[in-house]
């Protein structure tokens, strides 16, 4: 049977990130981004092999952008497209795995939208547009939250009145599940361990960041919660703050909930600490030049990350290894080194030359002799979404 092609779509409110995934090829035959949708500057950018190209599509919405993308996909797939996998951020408790899209699953995704008001409605825009354009193709939703539905109740419940959980779904859900799942499988392969008999700490570090404790291929705890704001310091998100900060700012400064929400999500994290940038590359460079805010941002980021990883270790029966992934995790020897320096009680130490080598897609072990494993494993969420889509096709 010839290798199959899956189109993976990740829709934001004004963007579509896409990749054509062939099950037998490592590089994507086609990938790209439609951005600034709904504006006069709307554009479609794509890469096919070594060739990069762009097309201006002024005023295009999600459906028009996808219709412009369709001929590119069909050519790159040789006319053989077998399904579409959609990233959906929040599946609530309804979805514990990827789901074939139909009227019932679409309704459930809409009902979950209050838990992710910035993400699920945007994901639905892409789903609905794709279903109209590709009515005969199997389409699958893959949820960021689904992997974490194996958390035990004592790990996902908040200590708030039970009615808030029973009636309104207020609990910890976790995110980045597709990445954590993919990376833990790759880590087991690289270490020569059976996934079903392995225990990992994983740090997914990008503009959004989270940690996860993974036992025998299942999530047992994770740092994000009801929303992606809980947990680590991120690019522009604060991560954990005193829960009473909202009322303090409202009383002391007269801020509205909307102002506080925007501050915590868009003006905090690395950007807020440094006063300079949310980009770790820029902060590392500024730190070298003596920028105090950049130095502080790096120190806080690494310390809070180490604290979270130490806390996640409570969920493991043993430690088979620590895994770094995501844009920062895969490319910053400095962040890996500073974080591991805070984890000496776990016996972790790095081999600095090995640490320095693992950048720009290079995977490998970076621990010193005698230390538990520390691995750098590039994530591939698009491939995991395609694999989940293929699994439903096969089922």
């Amino acid at each position: 049977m010839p290798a199959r092609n899956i189109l993976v779509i990740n829709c934001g409110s004004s963007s579509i990130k896409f990749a054509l995934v062939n099950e037998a090829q490592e590089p994507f035959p086609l990938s790209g981004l439609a951005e600034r949708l709904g504006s006069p500057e709307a554009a479609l950018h794509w890469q096919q092999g070594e060739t990069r190209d762009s097309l201006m599509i002024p005023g295009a919405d999600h459906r028009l952008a996808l219709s412009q993308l369709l001929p590119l996909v069909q050519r790159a797939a040789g006319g053989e497209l077998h399904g579409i996998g959609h990233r959906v951020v929040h599946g609530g408790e309804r979805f514990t795995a990827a789901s074939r899209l139909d009227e019932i699953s679409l309704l459930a995704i809409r009902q979950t939208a209050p838990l992710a008001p910035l993400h699920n409605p945007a994901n639905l825009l892409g789903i609905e547009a794709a279903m109209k354009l590709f009515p005969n193709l199997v389409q699958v939703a893959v949820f960021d939250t689904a992997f974490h539905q194996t958390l035990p109740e004592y790990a996902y419940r908040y200590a708030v009145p039970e009615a808030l959980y029973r009636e309104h779904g207020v609990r910890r859900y976790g995110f980045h599940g597709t990445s954590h799942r993919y990376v833990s499988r790759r880590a087991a392969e690289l270490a020569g361990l059976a996934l079903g008999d392995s225990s990992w700490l994983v740090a997914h570090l990008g503009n959004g960041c989270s940690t996860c404790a993974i036992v025998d291929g299942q999530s047992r705890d994770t740092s994000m919660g009801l929303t992606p704001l809980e947990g680590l310091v991120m690019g522009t998100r604060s991560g954990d703050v005193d829960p009473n900060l909202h009322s303090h700012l409202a009383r002391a400064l007269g801020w509205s909930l909307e102002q506080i929400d925007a501050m915590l999500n868009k003006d905090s994290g690395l950007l807020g600490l440094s006063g300079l940038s949310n980009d770790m590359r820029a902060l590392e460079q500024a730190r070298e030049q003596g920028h105090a805010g950049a130095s502080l941002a790096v120190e806080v980021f690494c310390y809070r990350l180490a604290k979270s990883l130490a806390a996640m270790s409570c969920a493991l029966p043993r430690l088979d290894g620590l895994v770094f992934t995501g844009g920062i995790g895969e490319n910053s020897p400095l962040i890996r080194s500073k974080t591991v320096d805070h984890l000496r009680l776990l016996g972790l130490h790095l081999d600095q030359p090995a640490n320095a080598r693992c950048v720009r897609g290079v995977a490998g072990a970076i621990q010193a002799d005698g230390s538990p494993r520390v691995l750098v494993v590039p994530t591939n969420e698009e491939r995991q979404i395609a694999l989940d889509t293929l699994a439903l096709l096969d089922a």
Side-chain angles (χ1 to χ4, degrees):
M1 183 169 121
R4 293 167 294 177
N5 296 299
I6 301 295
L7 175 62
V8 174
I9 296 175
N10 179 1
C11 278
S13 57
S14 60
S15 67
I16 304 172
K17 186 180 178 185
F18 61 88
L20 180 65
V21 182
N22 181 281
E23 63 181 333
Q25 295 177 26
E26 197 56 39
F28 299 145
L30 177 75
S31 61
L33 174 72
E35 61 177 349
R36 300 189 184 95
L37 298 179
S39 79
E41 293 80 36
L44 178 63
H45 311 285
W46 67 93
Q47 179 172 354
Q48 191 167 2
E50 298 300 314
T51 304
R52 296 173 184 265
D53 214 337
S54 295
L55 174 70
M56 297 304 296
I57 45 175
D61 59 9
H62 288 74
R63 186 173 181 183
L64 182 55
L66 283 170
S67 69
Q68 292 286 348
L69 174 61
L70 174 59
L72 299 172
V73 172
Q74 295 287 21
R75 276 201 302 273
E80 293 291 327
L81 186 61
H82 298 85
I84 301 180
H86 296 267
R87 181 199 179 207
V88 179
V89 168
H90 216 307
E93 291 186 321
R94 167 71 173 76
F95 295 100
T96 59
S99 175
R100 203 162 174 148
L101 284 162
D102 54 26
E103 286 305 315
I104 295 171
S105 57
L106 279 172
L107 177 61
I109 294 170
R110 287 191 195 100
Q111 290 171 339
T112 309
L115 293 171
L118 299 178
H119 296 95
N120 275 32
N123 300 153
L124 280 164
L125 283 174
I127 289 170
E128 288 163 352
M131 290 181 81
K132 286 174 182 170
L133 286 167
F134 306 93
N136 298 319
L137 274 182
V138 171
Q139 307 212 23
V140 171
V142 179
F143 301 88
D144 279 14
T145 53
F147 181 60
H148 302 300
Q149 283 297 299
T150 52
L151 264 64
E153 189 172 20
Y154 58 75
Y156 71 70
R157 286 289 296 272
Y158 290 117
V160 297
E162 186 174 12
L164 288 174
Y165 168 60
R166 297 295 175 198
E167 297 170 24
H168 303 286
V170 176
R171 52 158 284 181
R172 304 182 65 252
Y173 290 96
F175 299 88
H176 294 143
T178 304
S179 176
H180 287 300
R181 182 172 172 221
Y182 179 85
V183 166
S184 59
R185 288 172 183 270
R186 285 289 296 133
E189 289 172 10
L190 290 169
L193 299 175
L195 179 67
D197 185 21
S198 63
S199 296
W200 303 99
L201 293 175
V202 178
H204 174 103
L205 310 175
N207 195 48
C209 302
S210 66
T211 57
C212 190
I214 301 171
V215 179
D216 302 341
Q218 295 189 326
S219 176
R220 288 288 179 257
D221 201 356
T222 190
S223 58
M224 285 179 165
L226 174 71
T227 75
L229 185 61
E230 185 178 344
L232 306 178
V233 173
M234 304 178 221
T236 63
R237 294 179 217 154
S238 64
D240 291 342
V241 295
D242 187 320
N244 221 29
L245 178 63
H246 286 70
S247 56
H248 171 73
L249 292 175
R251 283 194 306 269
L253 302 179
W255 284 18
S256 67
L257 279 175
E258 290 75 17
Q259 284 176 290
I260 298 167
D261 186 64
M263 180 272 292
L264 292 173
N265 280 283
K266 298 177 181 177
D267 301 322
S268 297
L270 294 173
L271 176 63
L273 281 165
S274 69
L276 183 67
S277 176
N278 65 318
D279 189 316
M280 186 60 81
R281 293 165 296 188
L283 295 180
E284 289 190 23
Q285 187 174 7
R287 172 184 172 273
E288 289 173 8
Q289 297 165 354
H291 190 287
S295 296
L296 177 64
V298 168
E299 296 297 334
V300 173
F301 181 90
C302 294
Y303 181 65
R304 290 273 295 274
L305 170 57
K307 277 180 67 175
S308 179
L309 288 166
M312 289 294 128
S313 71
C314 294
L316 302 183
R318 66 178 186 277
L319 179 60
D320 286 321
L322 165 62
V323 182
F324 288 98
T325 193
I328 297 171
E330 295 166 28
N331 292 293
S332 178
L334 175 71
I335 297 304
R336 297 190 298 248
S337 180
K338 281 189 160 293
T339 301
V340 169
D341 278 348
H342 291 302
L343 292 168
R344 290 195 184 97
L345 278 177
L346 295 182
L348 296 167
H349 300 278
L350 296 189
D351 178 301
Q352 294 304 337
N355 185 33
R357 280 195 302 272
C358 287
V359 293
R360 292 185 290 278
V362 176
I366 60 172
Q367 74 275 2
D369 289 345
S371 167
R373 283 185 199 87
V374 183
L375 303 176
V376 177
V377 180
T379 191
N380 195 329
E381 293 171 270
E382 291 85 2
R383 185 163 293 280
Q384 185 62 58
I385 290 170
L387 289 171
D388 288 346
T389 302
L390 287 166
L392 279 178
L393 280 174
D394 292 337

